[in-house]
């Protein structure tokens, strides 16, 4: 029939795109707009073959063949069918099993049944050569598409290239419409207008790094007059409190959003000369002082100091904040799942924002938002646990090389606080604004 079909080896397409844009074939180094990518494949296939599209087959690997979030988003798109092989780990590396065999079977079956007149193959694996030759023998025109190679050479089997009827290269311009490389930068803390207590906590160095922080401040003070003499101002990237993915041995341990353990370290006794948080000063001047407690963040292991409230050092008004599940009706839960599948991309920062947006939109009493804001940068235990469980739906927080990805956790929580900050600013904006 006069229709075209596209068979996509996702491991090849996204791995080659990562090599081109990020310098290595790790798919974790890129973010993908799947809706834009699928639309681009459809338009390019119809233009190249001069035939209407029958279907796009997306072949990929998944642990135990269980669909991942990107697979769930893809399979609800029109004219897209997802076929999953196994994803296994061997010698510390992930490898697809059964994907080539599934592509070969689909290719030969489509040609044998004369389901289409043109087949577009987006792959580089020479194992598909027998299937390609079989399709040609059944009178199907085979179009082979490649992703532009990072080194300017082929990233496909030469036998495939020789046997294909037509060959096209998806260049960098085409790829970057839907794929972009992740920036290897730290996650900046949200910048609300914190109260004096929060400002004091954030400005105080950690006990073990007080000397290093003082040295860094001295270097910054020495550098600033030179910049001002040159008529320049420090950029936002240079002054933002971001976490650096790599730092020298003498650099202070600065993080985008301090952990509860960091805050507890401040409470147990800062180094000499470190500024005391305002909250601690006011507590010391009162009739009774409550010792600081340590919240155990989900990634921490070891001891937990119990305090007042819910036994985790949280005040009762914070410990009793409603969880998102309690605020969500059955209809909203269905709509949330639909949005997660079709809209939410799974970027850690975005996931935190989506969760916070839903929570703030559904609370009925603004006092809850005020109580939450007073806890910045520490998310109350129950809400934090629910946030991380929500993030796990998108494959975040998974074990990578047997290590829990702390960078994702910081990004999730930074996105949460950025959205809370935006909502708080909107609540307090003058009526005329």
């Amino acid at each position: 029939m006069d229709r075209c079909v596209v068979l996509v080896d996702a491991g090849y397409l996204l791995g080659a795109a990562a090599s081109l844009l990020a310098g290595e074939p790790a798919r974790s180094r890129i973010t993908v707009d799947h809706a834009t990518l699928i639309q681009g494949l459809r338009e390019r296939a119809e233009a190249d073959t001069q035939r209407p599209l029958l279907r796009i087959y997306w072949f990929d690997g998944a642990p135990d063949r269980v669909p991942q979030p990107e697979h769930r988003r893809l399979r609800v798109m029109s004219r897209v069918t997802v076929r999953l092989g196994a994803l296994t780990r061997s010698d510390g590396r992930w490898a697809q099993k059964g994907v080539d065999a599934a592509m070969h079977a689909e290719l030969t079956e489509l040609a044998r049944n004369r389901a289409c007149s043109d087949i577009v193959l987006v792959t580089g694996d020479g194992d598909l050569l027998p299937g390609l030759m079989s399709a040609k023998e059944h009178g199907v025109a085979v179009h082979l598409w490649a992703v532009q190679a990072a080194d300017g050479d082929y990233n496909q089997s030469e036998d495939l290239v020789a046997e294909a009827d037509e060959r096209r290269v998806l260049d960098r311009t085409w790829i970057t419409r839907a794929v972009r490389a992740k920036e290897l930068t730290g996650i900046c803390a949200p910048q609300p207008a914190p109260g004096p207590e929060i400002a004091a906590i954030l400005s105080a160095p950690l006990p073990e790094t007080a000397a290093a922080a003082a040295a860094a401040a001295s270097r910054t003070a020495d550098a600033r007059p030179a910049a001002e003499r040159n008529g320049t101002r420090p950029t936002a990237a240079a002054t933002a409190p971001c976490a650096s993915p790599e730092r020298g041995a003498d650099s202070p341990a600065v993080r985008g959003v301090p952990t509860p353990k960091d805050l507890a370290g401040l409470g147990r006794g800062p180094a000499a000369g470190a500024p005391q948080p305002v909250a601690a000063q006011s507590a010391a001047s009162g009739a009774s002082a409550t010792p600081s407690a340590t919240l155990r963040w989900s990634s921490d292991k070891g001891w937990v100091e119990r305090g007042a409230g819910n036994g985790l050092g949280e005040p009762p008004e914070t410990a009793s904040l409603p969880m998102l599940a309690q605020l969500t009706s059955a209809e909203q839960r269905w709509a949330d799942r639909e949005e997660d599948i079709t809209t939410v991309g799974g970027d850690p920062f975005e996931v935190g924002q989506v969760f916070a947006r839903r929570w703030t939109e559904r609370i009925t009493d603004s006092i809850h938002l005020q109580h939450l804001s007073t806890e910045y940068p520490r998310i109350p235990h129950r809400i934090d646990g629910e946030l991380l469980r929500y993030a796990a739906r998108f494959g975040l927080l998974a074990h990578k090389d047997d290590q829990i990805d702390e960078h994702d956790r910081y990004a999730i929580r930074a996105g949460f606080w950025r959205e809370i900050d935006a909502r708080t600013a909107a609540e307090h904006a003058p009526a005329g604004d």
Side-chain angles (χ1 to χ4, degrees):
M1 298 181 67
D2 292 338
R3 297 178 293 188
C4 69
V5 171
V6 181
L7 305 183
V8 180
D9 179 350
Y12 165 77
L13 174 60
L14 300 182
S19 293
L20 178 64
L21 302 180
E24 58 180 283
R27 288 165 61 170
S28 60
R29 292 291 309 279
I30 57 174
T31 57
V32 183
D33 182 342
H34 289 91
T36 301
L37 181 59
I38 292 298
Q39 184 62 29
L41 290 169
R42 177 172 186 167
E43 293 174 353
R44 183 69 178 264
E46 291 180 338
D48 280 8
T49 65
Q50 297 297 305
R51 300 285 189 269
L53 177 74
L54 171 62
R55 190 172 298 115
I56 295 176
Y57 288 90
W58 185 272
F59 296 87
D60 202 1
D64 298 323
R65 290 186 168 87
V66 176
Q68 300 301 296
E70 64 180 276
H71 303 138
R72 295 199 296 269
R73 289 193 293 273
L74 283 163
R75 65 184 184 179
V76 299
M77 297 180 185
S78 61
R79 302 290 180 129
V80 176
T81 297
V82 176
R83 297 280 189 260
L84 294 179
L87 192 63
T88 60
R89 190 180 180 92
S90 177
D91 297 328
R93 300 181 63 182
W94 292 99
Q96 295 183 159
K97 300 293 183 182
V99 172
D100 295 338
M103 288 189 71
H104 181 278
E106 201 71 58
L107 175 60
T108 55
E109 194 70 14
L110 288 167
R112 184 182 299 114
N113 293 329
R114 300 187 182 278
C116 56
S117 61
D118 296 75
I119 291 180
V120 175
L121 284 177
V122 186
T123 186
D125 197 332
D127 290 345
L128 286 177
L129 181 61
L132 186 153
M133 297 176 67
S134 175
K136 290 174 62 178
E137 291 172 359
H138 285 87
V140 174
V142 179
H143 305 251
L144 183 65
W145 289 1
V147 175
Q148 178 182 338
D151 56 7
D153 200 356
Y154 286 151
N155 53 11
Q156 289 179 308
S157 163
E158 291 189 18
D159 291 334
L160 278 182
V161 173
E163 285 293 333
D165 296 305
E166 302 284 348
R167 183 173 185 265
R168 296 286 183 271
V169 175
L170 305 176
D171 60 17
R172 180 186 294 268
T173 301
W174 191 93
I175 291 294
T176 52
R177 294 174 185 171
V179 183
R180 62 182 177 85
K182 292 181 179 178
E183 296 181 2
L184 292 181
T185 59
I187 300 301
C188 293
Q191 300 298 324
E197 297 86 355
I198 298 300
I201 291 175
L202 295 180
S203 63
L206 300 183
E208 64 273 17
T209 60
S218 176
R219 289 195 296 271
T220 303
D222 292 342
R224 186 175 296 111
E228 293 174 354
R229 287 196 299 271
N230 294 332
T232 60
R233 295 180 62 84
T235 62
T239 58
C242 296
S244 174
E246 296 181 5
R247 62 176 186 265
D250 61 341
S251 300
V254 180
R255 291 176 173 174
V257 180
T259 67
K261 185 178 290 186
D262 296 339
L263 302 181
L266 292 173
R268 285 195 301 269
Q276 291 282 347
V278 174
Q281 295 173 2
S282 60
S285 63
S288 63
T290 302
S292 65
T294 298
L295 296 182
R296 183 172 65 183
W297 224 343
S298 301
S299 60
D300 289 345
K301 299 176 182 178
W303 52 271
V304 178
E305 290 182 5
R306 301 296 180 178
N310 61 350
L312 291 170
E314 296 176 358
E317 60 271 14
T318 301
S320 62
L321 285 174
M323 298 172 64
L324 180 60
Q326 298 171 322
L327 301 170
T328 304
S329 65
E331 293 78 7
Q332 289 172 325
R333 187 172 295 109
W334 183 90
D336 289 348
R337 293 293 291 177
E338 187 74 11
E339 181 184 19
D340 290 343
I341 293 172
T342 59
T343 306
V344 182
D347 177 77
F349 192 87
E350 178 190 11
V351 167
Q353 287 183 302
V354 170
F355 182 94
R357 171 174 56 80
R358 292 173 182 170
W359 191 88
T360 56
E361 287 176 349
R362 294 169 191 172
I363 57 174
T364 56
D365 191 345
S366 61
I367 193 66
H368 292 318
L369 186 60
Q370 297 175 22
H371 288 155
L372 177 64
S373 297
T374 61
E375 289 295 301
Y376 174 81
R378 180 169 49 193
I379 302 176
H381 180 74
R382 295 167 69 240
I383 295 178
D384 187 54
E386 189 181 31
L387 169 62
L388 296 182
R389 288 193 296 274
Y390 171 67
R393 299 180 189 174
F394 298 89
L396 302 172
L397 313 178
H399 286 69
K400 301 177 182 179
D401 297 327
D402 299 324
Q403 296 293 326
I404 296 177
D405 194 333
E406 287 297 317
H407 186 273
D408 284 351
R409 293 176 183 268
Y410 281 107
I412 293 163
R413 288 163 173 138
F416 176 90
W417 281 117
R418 182 61 57 84
E419 189 66 24
I420 294 296
D421 173 43
R423 177 62 183 264
T424 304
E427 290 280 345
H428 293 87
D433 289 357

